[in-house]
Amino acid sequence: MRGELDAELVLSQSLPGGRATLEGVLPGLAEEALARSLGKGVVGRMGPWNLEGDRLTLTLTAENGRAHQALLALTRRLKVELGRTAKVGVRTVRALRYRLTFDVPKAPTAPVSLPIPHQLRFGDGQATLELEGLDEEALRDNWSDRAVTLVEDKVLRQHYQGKEQYWKLLSQSPARNLTVTEDPTEAMLRRNWLRNGPTKGKWFLGPLPAHLLRTMERIAIDEVLRPLGFEEVVQPHHDSFDILLKTGHLEGVPGEFYYVAEPKSRDPAVWERFTDLVKITRKVPEAELANLVSGPVAVSCYAQCPTTYWWLSGRTIAQEMLPLKVFDRAAISNRYESGGRHGLERVDEFHRIEPVYLGTPEQLLELREQLLARYAHVFNDILELEWRTAWVTPFYMQQSGAIGVEDETQRIKGTIDFEAYLPYRGTREASEWLEFQNLSIVGDKYPKAFTIKTQKGELWSGCTGIGLERWLIAFLAQRGLDPTAWPAGFRKYAGELPREIRFL
Amino acid sequence: MRGELDAELVLSQSLPGGRATLEGVLPGLAEEALARSLGKGVVGRMGPWNLEGDRLTLTLTAENGRAHQALLALTRRLKVELGRTAKVGVRTVRALRYRLTFDVPKAPTAPVSLPIPHQLRFGDGQATLELEGLDEEALRDNWSDRAVTLVEDKVLRQHYQGKEQYWKLLSQSPARNLTVTEDPTEAMLRRNWLRNGPTKGKWFLGPLPAHLLRTMERIAIDEVLRPLGFEEVVQPHHDSFDILLKTGHLEGVPGEFYYVAEPKSRDPAVWERFTDLVKITRKVPEAELANLVSGPVAVSCYAQCPTTYWWLSGRTIAQEMLPLKVFDRAAISNRYESGGRHGLERVDEFHRIEPVYLGTPEQLLELREQLLARYAHVFNDILELEWRTAWVTPFYMQQSGAIGVEDETQRIKGTIDFEAYLPYRGTREASEWLEFQNLSIVGDKYPKAFTIKTQKGELWSGCTGIGLERWLIAFLAQRGLDPTAWPAGFRKYAGELPREIRFL
C-alpha cells in the first residue's frame, strides 16, 4: 500500500517571519516524524509545502498506510517548536486529500460505495482510494485503514455472493427407524399446547411443551455442563451498543436486532396527555408516544456470549481459574427474523443456554473433545436422535487462510454445527437438516476486544450455544408427541407430565 | 348525569321536498331511538331541529349519558327511512357539542386538563363538560363516558395526592437476633461477585450470586408451587400494546416501560451505509439508526400476568381444570426506574416467578390460605427471615368502596404485601422494610378484560409475584454473605457453592 497525503494545518495566528521561520525546521521535523511513524525500512518523504498567513499546507508520502500517523507526529513536534520559538500554536490539522493505492486480488464486479467523501478507481490489479477532508479525529482514529479494509472486503464479498457456506461432514450417527413425519409445531397447535404469541415470531408454551423445554434444559445442565465443571452466571438481557461495537455484531447484523428505547421521562405529568388519550380513545396515540420515547439506546439480547465477555472486560483472570467455564440461561435471545419464520424452530425469540469458556489453546482443544463426548452421550443415549456434525466456516475465514481447511485433523479454530434430520421436511438426502447446536473455538478475538488477560500465555475463548427450542423440535420431529414412543432415557428425565388443559 | 347533544348529519344530497319531507317522520324516529337507547324510565327528547340543503342539525337531551347512543340509533333509522323514500343517504354524523353535567363529590383543587377539544366548568357540586366535535367513531366508541370518568378520577386524585397508601398489618414473625448490618450489594461488589451491568440498573451476577438466586428459585418451586399443583408455562418476553391496553398498564405506567422497536428492513443493502459508517468510525451513527428503526411497537415485559391472561383470551376453561394454577419464570421483568435505583433490590431488570390462578372466588380464597401457609413455611423454616405481611390497597380501590376495609376478616379481593426487615437501612421501627413478595386476588377484572370464561359461575383471578432478587436481598441483608452463618434449611438447598473467581 502506498499513501499520499495533502495536509492543511491552521495556526493560531500568522507566523512572524513567514515561510522563512519554517524553512530551517520543517524538513527536519518531518523527517523525524516519518522515520518514527512509518517503521523500519519504510520509505517516506515530505513533498512541496507552503505557508500563507496562518495556513500551512504540505504533502507527505509513504510506502505504507501510515502517512496520517506521520502527519500527527509532525503536528505534535511543530506545536512544541512553534510554541517555544514563536508563541504560535496549531489550531487544527486535517487531510485535504489522502490517496491510498493498494493491491486487490480480484477486480470488482459492481460499484463499491463508501459512506464518507471519496473517489475510488480500480485498474491493473490495484485500487486507488482518495479520501477527502479527514479531520484530526478521523486521522487519529485510523478511518483510512478501515476504509481500505472495507473496500477490500466489499470486492471480496462481490465474488463470494451467493456461494455456499463451507460445510464438511465430521461425524454421523447411525440412521434410525423413524416413523413420525408430522411437523411437531402443527401437531402441538392442534392440541392447544402452543399459542402463537401476541407479537411476531414468539410463542406461548403451555404446560406440556414448557415442561419438555425445561426437561431439555435439565439434560443439558446435568449431562453436559455440570460434569464438565461449568458454573452458572445470570446476565442482563439488554446488550449495550458498546459491547456490540466490540464484537462486530452492530456492523454484522443490525437488521436482525430488536432495539430498546427508553422513556424520555418517568414523570407522570409529562405523560398526562398520552395517558389521557389512551383512557379516552383506548388506542395507542403513536405520534404522541414517539415524542415521549428516546431513539434506540440498546438491543434485546441477540446472543449471550458478548455480555459474558463484557463481564470479564479489563480483568486479569488468575491462571488457576483456567479454563474458566460459565454458562448463562437467563437472557432470552431475540432476533428479528422477518419473513423466514417457521414453527418453534425458526422464531424471533428463543431460549438458549450459552456456555462460554476461556483458557489456553490446549485447554480449549481438550475441552472441545470433552464437550463432543458429552453431547454424543446426550444425543445418542438419552434423546436417541439421528444427527450429524460438520465443520462450517464463513467464507471470509476460508479466504483469509486463517484456517487450514485442507487438513481437518489439524483444525483448532472454527465452528462445528450439530444437525438433526427432520422427517417432516422430506428425505434424509434432499431435505435441509436442522442446526440445533454448535460449538466454536474463536481464538483470541474476544479476549483482545474486551481486554481480558491472564497471568501468562495466550488466552483464547469459545462458546457452544444450546438452543432449547431446537433440541425440542429435533426430538419431537423424530419421536412425535406420544410419550409412550419416547426413549426410556428421555422419559426418565421428563418424569410425570402435566395434564393437558381442556378448553371448550 | 344529564346530556345535551347538538348533532349534525350530512346527507348524500339535498333532500327533495326539504324540511317538509322530514317533518312527518323525524320526531317519531327520534322518540323510538331515545326509548331504545336510554333504557327504561329515563327521560329524553329531541329539541329544535333544522334542515339546510344537505345539512340536518338537531339537539337530543337525556337524563343519562346515552344521548350519543340515541343519536347513532336515530341515524340508523333515518338511513333506512330516507333510503327507502327518497334515495338519499346519510354521509356523516357528528356531535358539534356534547354537554354532560354530573355530580362531583369534591371540588377540584387545581385545573383539570383533557386531551380533546372541550370546555369544563365546576360549581355547586357539579361539573359541566362540553365536548366539541366528536365524529362517528368517537361517539360509537363512547369517548364521552371515558372523558367523564377521567374528569372524576382526576378530581379524586387531586385530593389523594401525596396521601399514604393504605397499609394494615396482617401478621408478623418473631423478631430475630440479627447481627449483620451491611448492605449486601456493597458487600458482593467488594468481592467481585457482581458487576454493575452495561446498561442502566441491570446487574451481571457472577457464579456465587447466580447460584443463590437459582437456589431461591428452586425453593419457591419445590416448597410453594409444586406442592400446590402449579404448572410451568413459558411466555414471550415482549408484551403487545393490545395486552397493555386491556390491563390498563399502558395508561398506568407508560413512563416505566422499556419500549421495543423493530428494524424497518432486514435487507443488508438497506443497512449498508449504516454498517459502513460503523466499520469506518467505530461509533453508532445515531441519526442514521433512527431512520432505519420503527417507532415503539411493544414493550419489554413489565409484569408477566398480563401475557398469561392473554394466553387464555377468548377461551372457555373446562370446570374440572379449576382452579387453574400456572407460573412463568421465563420472561424477565424490565422497569425503567430512573432515579430510584439501589443495589440488587431496586433495579431496572429483575427475575420473577409469576404464579397466576383462575377459579371461583371460593377456590381462590382457599388457595390464598394454602399459599400463605407455604410461604410462611419457607420464610420461617428455610430462610428464617424476620418478616411481616400487610393488607395494602391503592387509594382508588379504598374510595370505590369495593373492599370492606372496615372488616378485615371479610376481605376477599385485595393485595397482601410481604415485607422483610433490612438491618442496613436502620432500626426496625424507623426504616422502610423491603417488599419482597405479594399475593393478590383481583376478582373478575382480567377474565372479563380478556374474555376468559368457564362453563358456569363466576371466574376470578389473582397472582403472587415472587421477586427472586428481593428474596435474595432480604436473606443476605439479615444473614450476611458467610455461608456458615446461614440457616441449615437454606444451606441444604444451596448445596455446594461455586468457587469465587480470582481476578488479579
Side-chain angles (χ1 to χ4, degrees), chain B residues 220-501:
Chain B
I221 292 173
D222 292 353
E223 296 288 339
V224 181
L225 300 176
R226 293 287 179 220
L228 296 179
F230 280 82
E231 295 290 357
E232 182 167 8
V233 295
V234 170
Q235 68 170 234
H237 180 254
H238 292 170
D239 294 346
S240 76
F241 286 150
D242 274 356
I243 290 177
L244 301 168
L245 278 170
K246 286 208 170 82
T247 58
H249 283 90
L250 198 62
E251 68 194 50
V253 287
E256 297 179 30
F257 292 129
Y258 275 94
Y259 289 87
V260 173
E262 294 174 355
K264 285 184 188 164
S265 167
R266 205 169 165 273
D267 178 1
V270 171
W271 285 86
E272 185 170 350
R273 195 180 142 79
F274 174 88
T275 54
D276 287 353
L277 281 169
V278 172
K279 283 176 185 176
I280 293 177
T281 67
R282 296 275 126 215
K283 287 191 181 68
V284 184
E286 288 180 14
E288 200 75 26
L289 182 60
N291 283 332
L292 291 164
V293 171
S294 76
V297 294
V299 313
S300 215
C301 175
Y302 180 87
Q304 290 132 294
C305 52
T307 297
T308 302
Y309 292 122
W310 167 87
W311 166 54
L312 297 168
S313 60
R315 299 211 159 144
T316 302
I317 305 169
Q319 203 82 23
E320 83 227 30
M321 305 300 300
L322 300 181
L324 186 66
K325 292 172 277 191
V326 295
F327 70 91
D328 175 76
R329 58 177 165 133
I332 301 156
S333 296
N334 283 135
R335 295 188 181 179
Y336 189 73
E337 283 289 353
S338 190
R341 301 178 187 100
H342 180 85
L344 261 190
E345 61 267 42
R346 177 120 194 191
V347 285
D348 282 36
E349 173 178 270
F350 50 96
H351 299 84
R352 180 174 42 187
I353 307 177
E354 181 96 291
V356 172
Y357 27 84
L358 295 99
T360 64
E362 298 70 33
Q363 286 172 332
L364 296 201
L365 272 177
E366 189 190 336
L367 180 59
R368 180 162 73 195
E369 294 312 309
Q370 293 170 336
L371 280 163
L372 286 171
R374 297 305 306 178
Y375 283 135
H377 163 61
V378 168
F379 304 145
N380 289 333
D381 308 335
I382 299 175
L383 304 184
E384 297 188 14
L385 290 181
E386 184 168 339
W387 62 293
R388 66 190 179 198
T389 62
W391 281 112
V392 292
T393 313
F395 81 86
Y396 52 88
M397 286 187 75
Q398 294 172 54
Q399 185 63 21
S400 70
I403 294 162
V405 291
E406 293 75 20
D407 184 355
E408 295 300 331
T409 60
Q410 293 304 306
R411 242 182 209 278
I412 302 178
K413 286 194 272 187
T415 296
I416 296 169
D417 270 1
F418 294 64
E419 301 178 346
Y421 171 46
L422 300 189
Y424 84 83
R425 286 189 182 171
T427 64
R428 286 176 172 79
E429 297 71 29
S431 72
E432 193 192 350
W433 291 33
L434 180 70
E435 186 206 325
F436 69 103
Q437 166 78 45
N438 63 40
L439 195 168
S440 295
I441 294 183
V442 186
D444 63 2
K445 176 181 171 180
Y446 294 121
K448 278 212 168 132
F450 288 91
T451 326
I452 310 170
K453 294 181 178 158
T454 183
Q455 285 160 288
K456 53 177 182 178
E458 263 190 302
L459 189 65
W460 278 23
S461 78
C463 60
T464 172
I466 298 171
L468 297 176
E469 275 87 352
R470 294 208 164 177
W471 277 35
L472 181 60
I473 287 299
F475 179 75
L476 295 178
Q478 293 189 11
R479 296 287 160 185
L481 266 55
D482 175 9
T484 62
W486 293 344
F490 181 80
R491 279 215 308 277
K492 201 179 127 200
Y493 257 103
E496 199 187 333
L497 300 181
R499 56 184 183 165
E500 280 190 56
I501 297 181

